[in-house]
Structures are given as structure tokens and as C-alpha cells.
Amino acid sequence: MIQLHYFPSTASMVPHILLEELGVPYERVLVDRTHDAQKTTDYLKLNPNGLIPVLTDGDLVLYETAAIALHLCDTHPASGLAPAVGTHERAHFYKWLMWLTNTLQSTLMVYFYPERWVNAGNTAGAAEVKHHAEIRVNNLLKQLDAEFVRHGGLWFMGQTYTALDAYVFTLCRWTRGFASAPARDKRHLGPYLQRMLERPALQRVLANEGLSAPFV
């Protein structure tokens, strides 16, 4: 059986949403980050980077959120969670998946952990890094918002729900505590996030992870 090693409200929410959308049997394995479970010897055997999530399926051990998302799409092609291979739509799906993980998510990590980018004890420097990361994230959210203007659809790639929607939702959710310009305040992202919250699969994820409002 598929096992998803997760912690609530982290990047593991992306494959968690996809697994619920697929409706396939799977087991959730909590990696208690509050007790540094991701740094234990057993977990580091699964992911030597000590990061969440990890997906296991028989002898397959897979980490990196985007890779897990692609694997779930490729092993369940009838789900329609990704456009057909070889199409222009699939190429744009790859582009946005890489953008979400390499650009938006990486900038969000700078925002949440600014102390990693300055010398120890440099609180003023960390605050400055955090401030500029928030500005950068806001500009990236404007790109997401503009995509809805471009195609006029209900979901991120247009009229069809894809795996990208799980990723967009998760990262937008991370901005809910921003002092200025969270994703929910964007003209098109705000209604989109509410549509996402209406999906039964996402409602199950929020319940499974024990999350409470505000969700975005």
C-alpha cells in the first residue's frame, strides 16, 4: 500500500490532496516535526535531506513534492490530473510545476526561515530578508492571479482540475498570515481558493490533518 509520510500544513499537503482526489487506498504516516522526527536515523534512510514528504509504495521510496505529484499523475493517467504527454498543455504543466517548487515555494522558504540566510544572531538582517521575501512572494502571486485572467477558467490550467491545483492551493495557504497581500486578497486567487475549499477531497485533507480556520 502507498504510504504518505506527512506533517500537517507542510508541502506534504500536495500529495495528500492528490491521493484523496484519486480515491486510492493509502496510509498516512505522521512525521512529528515538533519532535524532529524528520531528523531521526530511520527517517533519514527515506530522505537523507530530512524533509517532508516522502511517499513509499512497495520498494519505491520517493521524495521531492513535485516528483511525487508527477508519479501519482503518471501511475493514474485516467484521472486526468495531468494533460496528455507530448501535448503543449503537458509542457505548460511541467513549466508551472517547476515554477511552483523552484520559484514560489523556494521564496516562501526564505520568508519563513530568514535566519538561514544571515549570520547567527543577525536579527535585523533576518527581518530585512523576510521583508524582501514577502515583497517577492506578492509579485509571484500576481503571476498566478494573471493566469486566471489569461484563460478565464475555474482552475489553474483552465476548465480542468489538475495536480497543479493542489500545489497552488497549498502554497497560497502558506501566505494566510502575511501582514500584507496574502493570496486570498488577490482578485482571482481569492475566489479560486474558495472553490478549492469546496472540493470534498480537500475537505477530507483538512479534517485528516486536524486543521482549523482560517484555511487560506
Side-chain angles (χ1 to χ4, degrees), residues 13-191:
M13 180 177 278
V14 177
H16 191 175
I17 294 170
L18 298 180
L19 287 165
E20 287 293 338
E21 290 282 357
L22 289 169
V24 297
Y26 75 99
E27 179 184 3
R28 293 182 301 277
V29 180
L30 179 67
V31 182
D32 192 350
R33 204 173 64 169
T34 63
H35 291 91
D36 287 336
Q38 79 278 15
K39 298 179 182 178
T40 62
T41 300
D42 286 344
Y43 190 78
L44 290 174
K45 290 178 182 177
L46 299 175
N47 185 349
N49 303 295
L51 298 173
I52 302 167
V54 167
L55 182 138
T56 60
D57 187 2
D59 59 358
L60 173 68
V61 178
L62 192 61
Y63 52 86
E64 295 297 333
T65 304
I68 295 171
L70 278 173
H71 172 69
L72 291 174
C73 292
D74 290 346
T75 52
H76 301 86
S79 69
L81 286 175
V85 173
T87 62
H88 288 181
E89 290 79 10
R90 182 74 170 211
H92 285 295
F93 175 89
Y94 289 142
K95 175 193 71 179
W96 282 112
L97 183 61
M98 299 309 113
W99 184 90
L100 288 164
T101 186
N102 291 334
T103 303
L104 179 54
Q105 185 175 349
S106 62
T107 307
L108 281 162
M109 296 304 287
V110 175
Y111 171 84
F112 287 114
Y113 302 102
E115 69 280 357
R116 296 177 180 176
W117 303 95
V118 297
N119 292 331
N122 185 358
T123 55
E128 185 174 3
V129 169
K130 188 182 185 78
H131 171 70
H132 285 285
E134 184 169 359
I135 293 172
R136 171 67 171 156
V137 169
N138 182 43
N139 288 330
L140 297 175
L141 293 176
K142 290 177 181 178
Q143 285 186 244
L144 293 180
D145 204 61
E147 191 64 8
F148 287 93
V149 177
R150 185 190 67 78
H151 61 57
L154 294 175
W155 307 110
F156 187 69
M157 289 202 74
Q159 294 300 334
T160 303
Y161 180 97
T162 70
L164 293 181
D165 291 295
Y167 222 135
V168 171
F169 175 86
T170 298
L171 298 185
C172 284
R173 170 180 157 76
W174 289 1
T175 72
R176 68 194 182 282
F178 273 29
S180 62
R184 65 177 177 271
D185 288 351
K186 295 288 184 286
R187 182 176 180 180
H188 302 279
L189 279 177

Side-chain angles (χ1 to χ4, degrees), residues 188-210:
H188 302 279
L189 279 177
Y192 162 76
L193 294 173
Q194 292 304 312
R195 289 194 295 275
M196 285 291 296
L197 286 170
E198 293 171 359
R199 294 185 72 87
L202 184 47
Q203 292 174 14
R204 291 192 296 271
V205 169
L206 297 173
N208 290 344
E209 298 196 2

